[in-house]
Amino acid sequence: MTVSDYFSNTAAPSSSDTLNRVGCPSREILDHVTSRWGVLILAALLERSYRFSELRRRIGGISEKMLAETLRALERDGFVHRDAQPVIPPHVDYSLTPLGREVGEQVWALTQWVERQVPTVFKARDAYDAARAKTG
Amino acid sequence: MTVSDYFSNTAAPSSSDTLNRVGCPSREILDHVTSRWGVLILAALLERSYRFSELRRRIGGISEKMLAETLRALERDGFVHRDAQPVIPPHVDYSLTPLGREVGEQVWALTQWVERQVPTVFKARDAYDAARAKTG
DNA sequence: CAGGATCCGTAACGATACTG
DNA sequence: CAGTATCGTTACGGATCCTG
């Protein structure tokens, strides 16, 4: 499937032949899994299942709000399974669904690829900045 | 390489063993290529090279500012090649570097995967919403 | 413990006007 | 044509307080 095929078959609010499909559902889903916290949550849950506060500590720096919101979005999309045991105090386990494991691994692969290219990217940035300093 | 290995070897401003490496360079690079406009620009340039305004029309709905900013970020990272011919009126071609083609294809693969799962995700959402309507 | 509700600041984004 | 500069808005994210 080509890029052109891909983007021409779905209704676009703006124009008919545009890459930018506003409000496109796949774009929204992609945002959930590639968002700042989405990536980290998927990565953590790729290790094992976690409880809410446990996950919060594991990730570090994430607010309760964002953890809850991102988890809910991922759960609603079918990537995360929420297992709430009706005990007091509450005990809730979060884990990846098979579908979630699939995306998680792909996002994770991309993350690793990017990480491997960091030195290369830095060299490119140095070259870019140097060229800019000269010509200005 | 495991998730744990991956996130434990870089300096983290907050804590030492956290998934969240604030200001992490790979995270910034990942943002550039998975951002709303980054994804679309990479997709377009996967087809062929484009001139600035041409690219703007091809993507649709992107402002000049965002196109310029995103292109500059991708160029600086070494993913996009900018060929400015010194003529009047200016003629500038944007294309992918080999490195850019690599990320582009990966991001594109992820986008396609997500697109294929849209029906599945929608079913999951329906189930989620239905369960919420009852208990919620 | 697991979250929901609320308030608030910032930074990202869009629209517009202008320039080489 | 290919941008840069500026400004106004908005939506995202963080901090805090509260509840079952």
Side-chain angles (χ1 to χ4, degrees), chain B residues 29-93:
Chain B
I29 300 168
L30 192 65
D31 280 340
H32 291 162
V33 300
T34 62
S35 71
R36 172 172 174 65
W37 302 120
V39 170
L40 297 179
I41 289 175
L42 290 176
L45 293 181
L46 224 41
E47 300 175 322
R48 62 174 178 87
S49 71
Y50 278 91
R51 297 178 59 176
F52 187 87
S53 297
E54 206 181 16
L55 193 51
R56 189 154 137 64
R57 282 189 298 272
R58 179 73 184 101
I59 289 177
I62 186 172
S63 64
E64 288 182 3
K65 184 191 174 189
M66 288 316 295
L67 181 57
E69 280 183 8
T70 311
L71 278 173
R72 200 181 323 123
L74 292 176
E75 186 199 353
R76 197 171 101 97
D77 286 352
F79 298 134
V80 162
H81 174 67
R82 180 176 181 274
D83 181 27
Q85 301 167 35
V87 296
I88 295 178
H91 186 111
V92 181
D93 273 308

Side-chain angles (χ1 to χ4, degrees), chain A residues 18 20 59 76-77 125 129, chain B residues 18 59-60 76-77 125 129:
Chain A
T18 174
N20 178 34
I59 290 178
R76 197 171 102 98
D77 287 351
R125 288 186 180 176
D129 294 342
Chain B
T18 172
I59 289 177
R76 197 171 101 97
D77 286 352
R125 288 186 181 178
D129 294 341

Side-chain angles (χ1 to χ4, degrees), chain A residues 25-118:
Chain A
S26 71
R27 177 66 231 180
E28 190 191 358
I29 299 168
L30 192 65
D31 280 340
H32 292 163
V33 301
T34 61
S35 71
R36 173 172 172 68
W37 302 120
V39 171
L40 297 179
I41 289 175
L42 289 176
L45 293 181
L46 225 40
E47 301 175 323
R48 62 173 178 89
S49 72
Y50 278 91
R51 296 178 61 177
F52 188 86
S53 297
E54 204 181 18
L55 193 51
R56 189 153 137 66
R57 282 188 297 271
R58 179 72 184 101
I59 290 178
I62 186 172
S63 65
E64 290 182 2
K65 184 193 176 187
M66 289 315 296
L67 181 57
E69 279 183 9
T70 310
L71 277 173
R72 201 183 322 124
L74 292 175
E75 186 199 353
R76 197 171 102 98
D77 287 351
F79 298 133
V80 162
H81 174 66
R82 180 176 181 274
D83 181 27
Q85 300 168 36
V87 296
I88 295 179
H91 187 111
V92 181
D93 272 309
Y94 290 94
S95 57
L96 292 180
T97 63
L99 197 69
R101 183 159 289 274
E102 271 195 71
V103 240
E105 276 163 3
Q106 284 183 75
V107 171
W108 178 240
L110 181 60
T111 304
Q112 280 181 301
W113 183 90
V114 168
E115 178 74 9
R116 283 197 303 275
Q117 310 306 324
V118 166

